[in-house]
Amino acid sequence: MISRRKLVLGLAGAAGAAALSRALAPGAPRQIAARRALKLPIAPSGWPFPGARVVAPSAVFPPDFGVRRIYLDAGHGAPGNTGNLSCFCVDEQDFTLAAARALAERLNATGRFEARVGRAGDRPLPYAERVEDAARWGADAFVSLHSDVRGRIETWSPGQGRQCPLSLAAPGFAVLWSDEGDPALCALRLALARGFARRMEEAGLLPYDGAAYSGLYEPDTAQPGVFLDRRPPGQRIFVLRRPSMPSILVETHHALDAREATRWTEPATLDAFAAAAAAALADALGGAGAPASALGGDGAPVSPPPT
Ligand SMILES: [Zn+2]
């Protein structure tokens, strides 16, 4: 097993390790106060704390599944759009590119998918070009990767001379989808979103509770970690409503949470996420997801019948 100190050193250098250890130490006053306020156990356990286990869910492929094309959109890296700045002062566009490449490599290794990362990182790429590119390529699904920013932001120093934003109160992943457009396509988006969240939860990742999403995204009634885009029309997320194939956006974690940002650099996390993605894609594209009848005639989502 790799020690927490080693993991942190690998990411942020000795000074960052010391700062993170201080902030996350079981006895650290701020940590205790935060956990009391959140009604969480004082002793750190579970995601995203160091040492909390992640596992690789098993995918079930129907016999006629074949090889499916998955377009991986590394979020941001668009003109004038680098995304957020993480708690280690890493641009979101750089995190998403690394995460998308790691996911593509792992999906391709299954032999069940042909995954492609939409941008190379050599030039800013407009989102419209990505959506057109995915359609031209004949993608079966469009998965956009991002990291999120939520909650009250403080400043900390993860390394000498660097001041970066920090927020430890709102960890977790979120999977976003849109109910705009053709009801059959919307049903596939919902099946994909629920499949991703269900399999990510199974992998040991934490679904975000959505406390900061009020007015932006509406929580799903059936699956924790799934949210419907409810921004005012005209401000809704382009890659959720425009691709002609089912599309979702995965906020992998809270970029300002030093525990999550650290864990998302670990191969074990990338392996578990990729396995969760493969299982979710097999479920949704293989026909085991929500049927088209999961949407009402007006395109509004309805809860599935209790089982
Ligand atoms: Zn983003």
Side-chain angles (χ1 to χ4, degrees), residues 75-76 81-84 92 96 127 145-148 249 251:
H76 304 278
N81 182 348
T82 56
N84 65 47
E92 187 178 356
T96 62
Y127 282 112
L145 296 183
H146 287 249
S147 63
D148 210 356
L249 188 156
E251 305 275 14

Side-chain angles (χ1 to χ4, degrees), residues 137-174:
W137 184 52
D140 294 299
F142 186 112
V143 177
S144 187
L145 296 183
H146 287 249
S147 63
D148 210 356
V149 165
R150 323 152 172 151
R152 201 166 67 85
I153 299 171
E154 299 175 60
T155 300
W156 77 317
S157 178
Q160 208 170 16
R162 282 189 305 156
Q163 294 289 312
C164 307
L166 180 74
S167 179
L168 296 174
F173 70 81

Side-chain angles (χ1 to χ4, degrees), residues 4-5 8-9 12-25 156-159:
R4 181 175 90 175
R5 182 172 163 72
V8 173
L9 279 174
L20 184 57
S21 291
R22 272 197 306 279
L24 301 184
W156 77 317
S157 178

Side-chain angles (χ1 to χ4, degrees), residues 27-218:
R30 189 171 64 179
Q31 186 68 9
I32 289 173
R35 295 187 75 76
R36 281 209 175 109
L38 293 165
K39 298 192 171 60
L40 295 172
I42 299 302
S45 63
W47 180 272
F49 284 96
R53 260 183 92 226
V54 286
V55 295
S58 302
V60 180
F61 295 97
D64 60 349
F65 190 78
V67 176
R68 302 299 181 94
R69 289 189 163 179
I70 312 301
Y71 188 94
L72 298 177
D73 171 38
H76 304 278
N81 182 348
T82 56
N84 65 47
L85 188 69
S86 83
C87 54
F88 293 106
C89 286
V90 174
D91 282 332
E92 187 178 356
Q93 65 177 5
D94 297 333
F95 164 74
T96 62
L97 190 57
R101 284 175 173 161
L103 178 56
E105 193 181 297
R106 286 160 174 78
L107 287 179
N108 288 332
T110 67
R112 300 290 194 161
F113 302 102
E114 189 184 344
R116 205 179 109 191
V117 180
R119 65 179 171 91
D122 53 348
R123 68 176 176 102
L125 189 65
Y127 282 112
E129 275 188 43
R130 307 178 197 200
V131 168
E132 287 163 19
D133 187 26
R136 258 197 316 271
W137 184 52
D140 294 299
F142 186 112
V143 177
S144 187
L145 296 183
H146 287 249
S147 63
D148 210 356
V149 165
R150 323 152 172 151
R152 201 166 67 85
I153 299 171
E154 299 175 60
T155 300
W156 77 317
S157 178
Q160 208 170 16
R162 282 189 305 156
Q163 294 289 312
C164 307
L166 180 74
S167 179
L168 296 174
F173 70 81
V175 184
L176 313 181
W177 71 288
S178 167
D179 66 352
E180 259 187 63
D182 172 48
L185 179 58
C186 292
L188 292 170
R189 291 177 191 148
L190 176 58
L192 195 56
R194 285 180 176 164
F196 256 76
R198 185 167 65 85
R199 295 301 203 155
M200 287 175 75
E201 204 177 2
E202 189 185 331
L205 301 169
L206 176 74
Y208 175 50
D209 65 13
Y213 282 173
S214 178
L216 294 176
Y217 310 120
E218 184 182 311

